[in-house]
Amino acid sequence: MGSPLVVSTLGLLFTGKLLEPIWGSKEFLKFIFVINFLTTVCVFITAIALYGVTRQENYLYMPLSGFHGVLAGFLVGIKQMVPDQELPRLKIKAKWLPSLMLLFSIAVSFFTPESATYLSTLIFGTYMGWIYLRYLQRKPELKHRGDPNEDFAFSTFFPEFLRPIIDLIASNFHRNLCGKSEAFIDTLGYSLGSAPLPGSDPIEASRRREKGARALEERLAAESLIAAGKKSEELQINGTNNV
């Protein structure tokens, strides 16, 4: 009970200091509410469906909600903002954080049955976070929703050799689910084949990533200063004790 609370608190503090200045407090809180709600609905439907197929009652006792689903969505937000930013201690790029988190969670679920109960929450939290940022997040300054950049496509969660297959599958879902909205955009003069969609401008994408990278660097620099200050205090204390 205590461990998930500590992880959720630390995750909120770290991601909040990075994403909240960029999104704003209102959008940050909205993201938490929407992702938690959508994740809960998806987990509930999945649990009922699995029970209906298997008749195993343990599916009815799956955790339906939890902040770890929102944290998974936050990792998607970091992937969107600073995809090529390398985390100094982990030596990996931010764009791989959601994928590595899910891969690690799936691997752990094979050895610890308790962690498997939270796997669906993490999966749906990641996917709902991407859906929201890709199609639903409102951007008043650009007068459109979502982020249609190719660097944020669903296939970017997977290794390079799998992307052609994922793109093919995702394009079919996208065509069926979003075909009407794209047709409406086309009637307004935006052509998917020739002219870029609003928001797919590389200048706008670069500006957003620079802002996110700057926020992350400031966060990491602040942590380095705090660590250096603590180390200096320890050295002073040790020196005093030696005297």
Side-chain angles (χ1 to χ4, degrees):
M1 185 76 177
S3 179
L5 179 61
V6 171
V7 172
S8 297
T9 303
L10 293 177
L12 178 61
L13 290 175
F14 178 80
T15 57
K17 288 188 176 182
L18 174 61
L19 296 175
E20 192 272 340
I22 300 173
W23 288 351
S25 300
K26 183 178 180 180
E27 178 61 29
F28 186 74
L29 293 175
K30 181 182 177 182
F31 182 87
I32 293 176
F33 174 79
V34 171
I35 301 309
N36 190 54
F37 174 76
L38 293 178
T39 301
T40 301
V41 171
C42 291
V43 173
F44 175 76
I45 294 174
T46 301
I48 296 300
L50 290 174
Y51 171 74
V53 172
T54 64
R55 292 299 173 182
Q56 295 184 16
E57 293 186 359
N58 59 305
Y59 289 117
L60 298 178
Y61 300 99
M62 290 173 57
L64 295 181
S65 62
F67 200 74
H68 40 283
V70 177
L71 292 179
F74 283 154
L75 291 182
V76 179
I78 294 175
K79 168 187 172 68
Q80 179 197 37
M81 291 295 174
V82 285
D84 296 320
Q85 181 72 30
E86 188 177 85
L87 303 180
R89 295 181 181 179
L90 300 178
K91 299 298 181 181
I92 58 174
K93 291 186 177 181
K95 64 181 179 181
W96 294 116
L97 287 178
S99 305
L100 291 175
M101 178 273 297
L102 288 179
L103 184 63
F104 176 77
S105 300
I106 292 172
V108 171
S109 67
F110 285 106
F111 303 99
T112 55
E114 183 180 351
S115 64
T117 59
Y118 296 97
L119 186 58
S120 58
T121 304
L122 293 173
I123 292 174
F124 283 119
T126 301
Y127 187 61
M128 289 301 112
W130 178 78
I131 288 289
Y132 179 82
L133 296 173
R134 180 72 167 176
Y135 298 108
L136 303 177
Q137 188 180 48
R138 190 183 291 273
K139 297 183 178 180
E141 70 278 7
L142 299 174
K143 298 181 180 180
H144 76 91
R145 292 176 180 267
D147 181 1
N149 286 288
E150 288 300 318
D151 292 339
F152 194 54
F154 184 66
S155 61
T156 60
F157 287 85
F158 297 86
E160 193 74 34
F161 68 93
L162 290 176
R163 290 182 186 178
I165 301 174
I166 301 299
D167 280 331
L168 181 61
I169 298 173
S171 63
N172 290 329
F173 276 100
H174 180 80
R175 192 180 303 112
N176 293 329
L177 295 177
C178 307
K180 291 183 179 180
S181 62
E182 287 183 357
F184 177 70
I185 290 174
D186 286 340
T187 61
L188 295 178
Y190 296 104
S191 173
L192 293 174
S194 56
L197 286 170
S200 59
D201 183 5
I203 297 178
E204 187 272 328
S206 177
R207 187 183 303 115
R208 185 182 65 246
R209 289 172 184 171
E210 287 177 0
K211 188 176 181 181
R214 188 162 56 250
L216 181 58
E217 289 174 357
E218 290 174 356
R219 167 67 175 164
L220 296 175
E223 290 183 348
S224 299
L225 288 175
I226 293 174
K230 290 182 178 179
K231 188 174 181 180
S232 177
E233 290 178 1
E234 292 176 356
L235 291 174
Q236 290 179 359
I237 293 174
N238 292 335
T240 302
N241 292 336
N242 292 333
V243 172

